Amino acid sequence: MRVLLGRVGGRLAGLLPGRGDLAQMRRDPRRDLLAGLTVAIVALPLALGFGVSSGLGAEAGLATAVIAGALAAVFGGSNLQVSGPTGAMTVVLVPIVAEHGPGGVLAVGLMAGVILVVLAVLKAGKYMQYVPAPVVEGFTLGIACVIGLQQIPNALGVPKPGGDRVLVVAWHALQEFAQHPNWTAAAFALAVAAVMLIGARRRPTVPFSILALIAATVVAQLAGLDAAKPIGDLPSGLPAPSLAFLDVGALGSLLAPAVAVAALAALESLLSASVADGMTVGQKHDPDRELFGQGLANIAAPLFGGVPATGAIARTAVNVRTGASSRLASLVHAAVLAVIVFAASPLVSKIPLAALAGVLLATAVRMVEVGSLRAMAKATRSDALILVLTAVATLALDLVYAVIIGLVVAGALALRAVALQARLEEVPLDRGDHSAEEHALLAEHIVAYRIDGPLFFAGAHRFLLELAEVADVRVVILRMSRVSTIDATGALVLKDAVDKLQRRGIAVMTSGIRPGQRQVLDSLGALELLRLEGREYATTPEAIRGARSYLECAGVMPPLPARTPRPISEETEETVG
C-alpha cells in the first residue's frame, strides 16, 4: 500500500508546475500582457453567451472563465492554452440542467474534475492521438450546428421552449416567432453576427464581437427598445466558495453524466492543445499535465457557481496569433475578466440577449472549416462516412455518444481495410536442387500457398474457405514467413484448416513461422498436428524435401536420387521461407 501511495504521490509531483514555467513567463511579459488582454476581450461575450446557453446564467460563464481559466493556465500542460466555458460543453450541459437542475450541473462538474485528475495520474493523455481526423471534423461540425440551433430562441426574442433536444426546441421557437414575431431581437442578432463575420474577413485582428455588443447595447439603451431583452442583473463579484449544491445521495445518478463531461473535457482540451502546438514552433504540450490542470479547474469552478470548463480552441488560437509565448497570457485573460466581474457588471448586465445570441451564431459559423470538410470528404469514402455519421450523431444524440460511434465505425472500417490486405496466394514450387523431371513430378502432387499480411479475426475465415477447396494434391505447403501478425482467431482457423485437410488425406506442412507468432499457435494447439508428424520446417526448400520424403514413403512416387542440397543464403531463406 505504501509503495502504491508513493507511486501516486510521485506521479502527482510530476504533474505540478516547475521552475521552467516561471522562467518562461519572464521572457517576454509585454507580449503576453497584450495577448491576454486581447483574449479577454474576445472571451467576454463567449463566456456570457455560453453561460446563458448552459442554463445557469451569464454569471456562471464569467465565474468559469475566471476560476477555471486561471487554474488551467497555472497547472495545465500547454503554455498557450486558454480555458473556459465552451460551446461543446454547453451542448452536454443543457440536458443535464433539464434533468438534474443547476445543482446537478455543479456536482457533475466537480465529479468530472476528479475523473480528469485520475486520468492524468493514469497517464491517459497519450490516447488522444488515436482519435481519427474524420471523427474530430464531424464532431466539430455537429457542435457548430448544435450551438447555432441553441441560439434560435434568444436570437428571435421568444421564450425558450421546454425540452433538451435542440432540434425540437429550435422548431418550437420558430413556431412561436411565426405567431408572435419579435423583429427587433432578430435584427440585433443578425446585425451582430454579420458585423463579426464580415469584419473578421477584412480585419481579423480587430475584436468585432465586443465592438458589436457595445454598439447593440448602446442602441438598445438610447432607443429604449424593450423588445431587446437584456442579460439581467449580475453579481458584482464572485460568490464565496461553497459545497451547498452537493447532494451525496444523488451522486450515483450523476456518475454517467460526469463521465460524459470528463470525456468531452479531455477530448476538447487535448485537441485544442494540439492545435496550439501546430500553430507555433518549439511548443509541445504535456497531455497528462493538461488533463491534471483541467481536472483541478473543474473541481474548483463549481465551488464558485461555474459550469464545467475545457480548453477553448477559438480563444487559444487568438492567444497564439497575438504573440503569446507563455501561460502568463492566459492568466492575464482570467485577471481581466475578474476585473470586469467586479467593476463592470452593471454595464455587462445591459447587453441584449439577442446580441449575445448573434455572437454565438457567428462563432458557430466560424467553427466550420469548409475547405477542411471538403478535403476530408474527398479523401476516401470511409472518411466521408465517418465524418457525416459523427456529425449526425452529435446533432441527434449527444457529443460523447457521437465520438464513441465515430470511433467504433472508424475502427471497424480500419479493420476491414487491413483484413482486405491479407491474401492467400498459390505460388510455384521452388526448383531448389531438383532436376526438371523431379520438379514436374513433385508439382503434380504438391501445392504451395503463401499467406501475406495479417491472419486475424477480421479476415481469417476467408483462408479457411480457400484452403478447404484444395483438391487433387497429396501435400499442401503453407509458407508463413510473410504473415505480419496472428491472433487467437487466426490460429484457430489455421488449426481447423489443417485438421480438415488432413482428414481428407492431404498432408500439411509449414515453413517460415516467426518466433513471435509461435506462442499463440502453440497455446491453441495449431501446431500440434504438424509437430506430431514432424511437418514444421524453417524454410520452404526444407518443406519441399520433407514433402518428397512423405510421397516416397506413401508410394506415390519412386525414390529420387539423393542429391547434395544447395547452400541457401540468409537472403534466399527470407525469400523462400
Side-chain angles (χ1 to χ4, degrees):
M1 188 65 178
R2 291 182 179 179
V3 175
L4 179 61
L5 291 176
R7 289 180 179 177
V8 173
R11 181 60 188 150
L12 284 173
L15 295 171
L16 296 175
R19 294 183 178 179
D21 298 322
L22 183 60
Q24 197 164 21
M25 292 169 63
R26 295 174 176 172
R27 290 179 182 174
D28 200 346
R30 289 186 179 181
R31 290 180 62 184
D32 287 331
L33 289 171
L34 179 60
L37 178 61
T38 304
V39 174
I41 294 172
V42 173
L44 175 61
L46 295 177
L48 295 170
F50 290 137
V52 171
S53 296
S54 70
L56 271 70
E59 61 272 19
L62 284 173
T64 304
V66 174
I67 301 300
L71 286 174
V74 173
F75 294 98
S78 170
N79 291 322
L80 306 174
Q81 178 93 286
V82 178
S83 300
T86 63
M89 188 60 75
T90 300
V91 174
V92 175
L93 296 181
V94 169
I96 299 176
V97 173
E99 185 173 354
H100 302 283
V105 171
L106 300 181
V108 163
L110 181 65
M111 294 169 67
V114 174
I115 293 172
L116 288 170
V117 171
V118 172
L119 290 176
V121 173
L122 295 177
K123 300 183 179 182
K126 59 186 177 183
Y127 295 108
M128 171 60 195
Q129 61 184 321
Y130 297 114
V131 179
V135 174
V136 175
E137 291 291 343
F139 175 76
T140 305
L141 175 60
I143 289 173
C145 293
V146 173
I147 292 173
L149 290 170
Q150 281 181 341
Q151 308 315 310
I152 288 181
N154 284 337
L156 298 180
V158 300
K160 184 179 179 180
D164 58 357
R165 293 296 178 188
V166 65
L167 287 170
V168 176
V169 171
W171 175 248
H172 288 164
L174 289 170
Q175 290 178 321
E176 178 67 20
F177 181 79
Q179 296 175 2
H180 307 287
N182 184 343
W183 296 109
T184 301
F188 270 109
L190 290 175
V192 169
V195 168
M196 285 184 61
L197 294 174
I198 296 173
R201 286 193 172 188
R202 297 185 177 181
R203 298 285 182 87
T205 59
V206 177
F208 284 100
S209 59
I210 195 72
L211 296 178
L213 282 184
I214 293 173
T217 304
V218 170
V219 170
Q221 293 299 310
L222 293 179
L225 300 175
D226 295 333
K229 182 181 177 181
I231 290 175
D233 294 337
L234 294 174
S236 57
L238 295 173
S242 171
L243 280 172
F245 61 85
L246 195 60
D247 180 3
V248 178
L251 294 183
S253 62
L254 295 174
L255 181 59
V259 171
V261 168
L264 178 60
L267 177 67
E268 190 171 14
S269 298
L270 294 177
L271 175 62
S272 177
S274 298
V275 170
D277 290 347
M279 296 176 65
T280 59
V281 177
Q283 293 281 358
K284 185 172 178 59
H285 74 282
D286 182 332
D288 296 320
R289 271 194 67 184
E290 184 60 32
L291 291 181
F292 182 70
Q294 295 297 333
L296 294 182
N298 279 287
I299 290 173
L303 304 181
F304 296 87
V307 297
T310 75
I313 296 178
R315 276 157 274 179
T316 299
V318 172
N319 194 39
V320 175
R321 289 180 185 136
T322 49
S325 61
S326 75
R327 50 192 76 220
L328 177 61
S330 300
L331 281 171
V332 170
H333 138 268
V336 171
L337 291 177
V339 170
I340 292 173
V341 170
F342 284 99
S345 57
L347 298 177
V348 173
S349 66
K350 299 182 184 301
I351 297 175
L353 284 173
L356 210 54
V359 171
L360 298 186
L361 285 171
T363 301
V365 172
R366 292 170 63 178
M367 285 177 65
V368 180
E369 296 286 346
V370 178
S372 179
L373 291 175
R374 186 182 294 115
M376 197 70 64
K378 289 182 178 180
T380 66
R381 284 185 293 180
S382 295
D383 290 333
L385 174 62
I386 295 167
L387 189 154
V388 172
L389 189 60
T390 306
V392 171
T394 302
L395 191 58
L397 301 174
D398 69 41
L399 275 67
V400 176
Y401 283 136
V403 172
I404 292 173
I405 290 171
L407 289 175
V408 169
V409 173
L413 292 174
L415 284 175
R416 177 178 176 273
V418 172
L420 290 176
Q421 292 178 357
R423 62 185 183 275
L424 183 71
E425 181 182 1
E426 183 178 349
V427 293
L429 295 180
D430 183 72
R431 288 186 175 273
D433 59 336
H434 309 298
S435 66
E437 180 182 356
E438 294 168 354
H439 183 268
L441 195 57
L442 290 170
E444 183 180 346
H445 300 286
I446 303 172
V447 63
Y449 285 97
R450 183 175 61 214
I451 303 176
D452 287 340
L455 187 60
F456 70 133
F457 71 93
H461 293 283
R462 290 191 296 114
F463 296 107
L464 175 60
L465 294 176
E466 292 184 43
L467 284 175
E469 295 176 356
V470 174
D472 299 329
V473 294
R474 299 299 300 271
V475 180
V476 170
I477 296 176
L478 295 178
R479 299 173 59 174
M480 300 183 62
S481 62
R482 296 190 183 182
V483 175
S484 57
T485 185
I486 186 168
D487 68 355
T489 303
L492 287 173
V493 168
L494 183 62
K495 177 184 177 182
D496 195 13
V498 171
D499 185 52
K500 286 187 175 183
L501 289 172
Q502 291 188 347
R503 287 180 183 179
R504 292 170 50 198
I506 300 175
V508 180
M509 302 181 180
T510 61
S511 68
I513 297 177
R514 297 182 180 182
Q517 299 165 2
R518 190 173 298 280
Q519 180 179 352
V520 64
L521 292 169
D522 279 342
S523 63
L524 294 166
L527 295 182
E528 185 177 353
L529 295 175
L530 302 174
R531 282 181 171 172
L532 289 176
E533 301 292 338
R535 295 173 183 170
E536 180 195 346
Y537 300 93
T539 65
T540 301
E542 292 176 3
I544 294 173
R545 289 194 290 271
R548 182 178 68 182
S549 298
Y550 169 79
L551 293 175
E552 291 175 4
C553 293
V556 175
M557 58 186 299
L560 298 173
R563 294 178 181 270
T564 303
R566 197 173 52 181
I568 301 176
S569 65
E570 290 186 8
E571 182 179 357
T572 307
E573 283 199 22
E574 290 182 4
T575 305
V576 300

